[in-house]
Amino acid sequence: MTRFWRWLLAVLIGAWLPIVFVAWWWNASAESTNPFFPPLSVIWEQFKVNWIFELVPVHVVPSIRNLLIGFLIAVVIAIPAGTLIGASRSGTRYVEPIVDFIRSIPPVALVPIFILLLGLDAQMRITSIAFSASFPILLATIEGVRSTNLVVLDTAQSFRLSPSAILWRVRLPGAMPTVFSGLQVGFQIAFVVTIASEVLGSGFGLGAFTLIATDSFLIVDAWTGVVLLGILGYLLNIVFDLVERLSLRWYYGQKKLS
Amino acid sequence: MTIPAISIRDVTMDYPTPDGVNHVLDHVSYDVAEGHFVSIVGPSGVGKTTLLRLLTGLASPTGGEIHVRGERLTSSPEGLAVVLQDYTRSLMPWLTVAKNISLPLRRAKMSRSAVQERVQESLAEVGLTGTERSYPWQLSGGMQQRVSIARAIAVRPSILVMDEPFASVDAQTRFDLEDLVLKVRDDFGITTVMVTHDIDEAVYLSDEIVVLHGKPAAVRDVVKVEIPFPRSQMATRNDHRFAELRTRVYGMVRGLE
């Protein structure tokens, strides 16, 4: 359990700058009469009205649901696909240029195309999220599996493990630290695309809420949406970090000792 | 005539390189007798590890044949276990000690309790009972190499092949591991082939020492070590035959004799 407390302490140490920033914002905006930059105190009052917890089921739950489903689909497709491609020499050579090309397109720019192809429902949003998030995961998995240590491979082979056991029980687990770096990037992209996919044609979700509020000159409401997005992004990152630490305990333990 | 544990017949190994073909082994022939402890020595870079990779089926010779217990080698053979020098990489860092040892048993289709039992036996054999749930990297170098030996004997091999198994541990640990290997070989009657650059170690452990020499390398000589077992670090290393043999083998490795 001490490891958990140490981790919590690290989070708190990392939180001092945001705290200073909020304090500064609070003071600097206190006397503001600019309608576009309302005082933080006003934003906070409206934040409580909107998000504790009146509008959470309408606008937060669908966004988070889309995000998680989309991200999970990306994981479930990209990790096995990346493992198979990474293990095959020619596979990597054929697939990588295509993957690199698609990945270079800003994911948000693909959302309109998905709308054209799939319409304006949750399915389209989840597909865009899954599609955009899968590329960093795919590339990281390919790289991780491809660079399996040769001694590890020799050992596994000398034990006469079947090719599939070598792939899923030796190469993939060994690649997990690299895979996780792809998961991290993929998750951030998934978050961005979740919000971006709601900006068009949706009445629900945090992206939709913020955009509609802005268009309707409900500036304070728009600000509460932005603040909530920031908080959510931050919290999701913490959760992600925790999952990574738990899954890669062997990796961090080993790193600490060497 | 009894079938040798490993029979190496006219084995030649060439690697293509950008600067032309690299001839590593040239018509190497040697038989490892059942139950023997054989060391392969030679100057560094002579092709010892290449020969060992061929014996384990991890690579195929460009010429000649290798038979393991009468069967021609095409891939890693059954009943042969390997211990490599680089234990930090050959043990999977994401698996606990117990799971590392049971990994090769996946092929054997053993019941869960039988696997557990085998893991316990193997750990007891190398003196590491109680470390099941540790990760390899939490153990010292010597203990990690004990884990790889435990993993190797967990499959109950008839042949154990080791590549410089004690090269990365300190001298005291090295002596302990040498005696451990002798004990394991005694307890299970395993035929053992070891590549080493340490001539003292080769003399101490072996029934026979194969000296590789030349470029491409061939068997320069085969030296029988006629010091009776059981051997001990104190008595055997003080034996006059030990001193004579190490001097002789040293001369051969250096190409002085």
Side-chain angles (χ1 to χ4, degrees), chain A residues 97-192:
Chain A
I98 305 166
V99 174
D100 268 330
F101 173 76
I102 300 176
R103 193 183 61 136
S104 316
I105 305 167
V108 175
L110 291 171
V111 172
I113 304 205
F114 277 106
I115 293 175
L116 280 178
L117 290 173
L118 294 169
L120 281 167
D121 52 7
Q123 208 186 343
M124 172 282 287
R125 291 176 228 292
I126 290 169
T127 311
S128 331
I129 296 164
F131 185 83
S132 321
S134 57
F135 287 98
I137 304 173
L138 186 71
L139 283 173
T141 310
I142 292 174
E143 178 54 30
V145 169
R146 187 173 46 182
S147 52
T148 307
N149 188 279
L150 289 176
V151 178
V152 170
L153 269 187
D154 273 359
T155 309
Q157 232 168 318
S158 72
F159 288 137
R160 302 157 38 81
L161 294 182
S162 65
S164 85
I166 291 181
L167 198 54
W168 304 111
R169 299 193 160 261
V170 175
R171 299 189 75 162
L172 181 58
M176 279 321 278
T178 316
V179 173
F180 256 97
S181 67
L183 288 174
Q184 180 123 43
V185 177
F187 194 68
Q188 283 157 1
I189 290 178
F191 188 63
V192 170

Side-chain angles (χ1 to χ4, degrees), chain A residues 149-162 165 169-171 173-175 249-254 257, chain B residues 53 58 76-82 84 86 88-90 92-94 103-104 106-107 135 137-138 151-152 155:
Chain A
N149 188 279
L150 289 176
V151 178
V152 170
L153 269 187
D154 273 359
T155 309
Q157 232 168 318
S158 72
F159 288 137
R160 302 157 38 81
L161 294 182
S162 65
R169 299 193 160 261
V170 175
R171 299 189 75 162
R249 262 204 310 239
W250 63 270
Y251 176 71
Y252 289 106
Q254 190 183 28
L257 286 184
Chain B
R53 284 180 63 83
L58 291 171
S76 293
E78 202 162 352
L80 184 148
V82 182
L84 298 169
D86 200 348
T88 52
R89 295 211 172 78
S90 84
M92 319 286 159
W94 57 91
L103 185 67
R106 285 181 54 78
R107 290 271 318 188
Y135 286 93
W137 40 267
Q138 292 172 318
R151 179 177 59 181
V155 298

Side-chain angles (χ1 to χ4, degrees), chain B residues 225-231 236 239 241:
Chain B
V225 182
E226 276 158 347
I227 305 173
F229 289 93
R231 295 178 185 172
T236 307
D239 195 304
R241 287 169 290 188

Side-chain angles (χ1 to χ4, degrees), chain B residues 13 23 29 51 74 94 116 176 205 222 226 232 244 252:
Chain B
M13 188 66 182
H23 302 285
S29 291
L51 180 58
T74 48
W94 57 91
Q116 280 317 307
D176 293 345
L205 293 170
V222 176
E226 276 158 347
S232 88
E244 283 161 25
M252 291 172 181

Side-chain angles (χ1 to χ4, degrees), chain B:
Chain B
M1 209 190 98
T2 52
I3 300 170
I6 303 174
S7 168
I8 305 163
R9 281 284 147 262
D10 276 331
V11 161
T12 299
M13 188 66 182
D14 304 324
Y15 284 114
T17 70
D19 308 319
V21 179
N22 181 15
H23 302 285
V24 184
L25 301 174
D26 180 40
H27 296 283
V28 172
S29 291
Y30 178 71
D31 283 354
V32 182
E34 193 78 55
H36 266 202
F37 195 119
V38 173
S39 293
I40 300 170
V41 299
S44 51
V46 75
K48 300 186 294 273
T49 298
T50 302
L51 180 58
L52 183 127
R53 284 180 63 83
L54 298 177
L55 292 183
T56 53
L58 291 171
S60 302
T62 32
E65 288 181 7
I66 296 173
H67 293 257
V68 170
R69 313 189 104 198
E71 279 196 44
R72 182 161 181 194
L73 202 64
T74 48
S75 63
S76 293
E78 202 162 352
L80 184 148
V82 182
V83 174
L84 298 169
Q85 174 190 344
D86 200 348
Y87 49 77
T88 52
R89 295 211 172 78
S90 84
L91 294 170
M92 319 286 159
W94 57 91
L95 296 176
T96 60
V97 166
K99 294 218 169 106
N100 261 292
I101 295 174
S102 60
L103 185 67
L105 296 175
R106 285 181 54 78
R107 290 271 318 188
K109 303 253 189 301
M110 291 161 71
S111 75
R112 190 178 286 236
S113 62
V115 166
Q116 280 317 307
E117 206 171 305
R118 190 60 75 76
V119 169
Q120 290 305 325
E121 279 170 28
S122 306
L123 276 176
E125 177 72 19
V126 300
L128 280 184
T129 303
T131 58
E132 298 82 355
R133 294 165 73 180
S134 303
Y135 286 93
W137 40 267
Q138 292 172 318
L139 308 175
S140 69
M143 286 164 93
Q144 290 184 47
Q145 198 57 303
R146 277 169 194 265
V147 174
S148 18
I149 293 169
R151 179 177 59 181
I153 60 177
V155 298
R156 292 285 183 272
S158 54
I159 302 171
L160 181 63
V161 175
M162 301 190 286
D163 186 11
E164 306 251 9
F166 318 128
S168 351
V169 296
D170 61 83
Q172 185 55 51
T173 308
R174 191 172 186 134
F175 286 163
D176 293 345
L177 288 173
E178 285 168 7
D179 288 333
L180 172 68
V181 166
L182 284 180
K183 174 171 106 87
V184 165
R185 180 245 194 161
D186 241 31
D187 291 349
F188 297 101
I190 305 176
T191 307
T192 310
V193 179
M194 176 179 73
V195 159
T196 182
H197 63 252
D198 184 329
I199 291 159
D200 287 41
E201 179 171 284
V203 175
Y204 179 65
L205 293 170
S206 311
D207 294 293
E208 271 187 356
I209 301 172
V210 178
V211 183
L212 289 183
H213 203 276
K215 186 143 190 67
V219 177
R220 164 86 163 70
D221 216 329
V222 176
V223 179
K224 283 201 188 313
V225 182
E226 276 158 347
I227 305 173
F229 289 93
R231 295 178 185 172
S232 88
Q233 295 287 358
M234 299 272 272
T236 307
R237 284 177 193 266
N238 279 323
D239 195 304
H240 67 98
R241 287 169 290 188
F242 184 90
E244 283 161 25
L245 280 165
R246 71 177 293 267
T247 311
R248 224 180 109 202
V249 175
Y250 184 81
M252 291 172 181
V253 169
R254 279 299 160 101
L256 303 173
E257 193 182 304

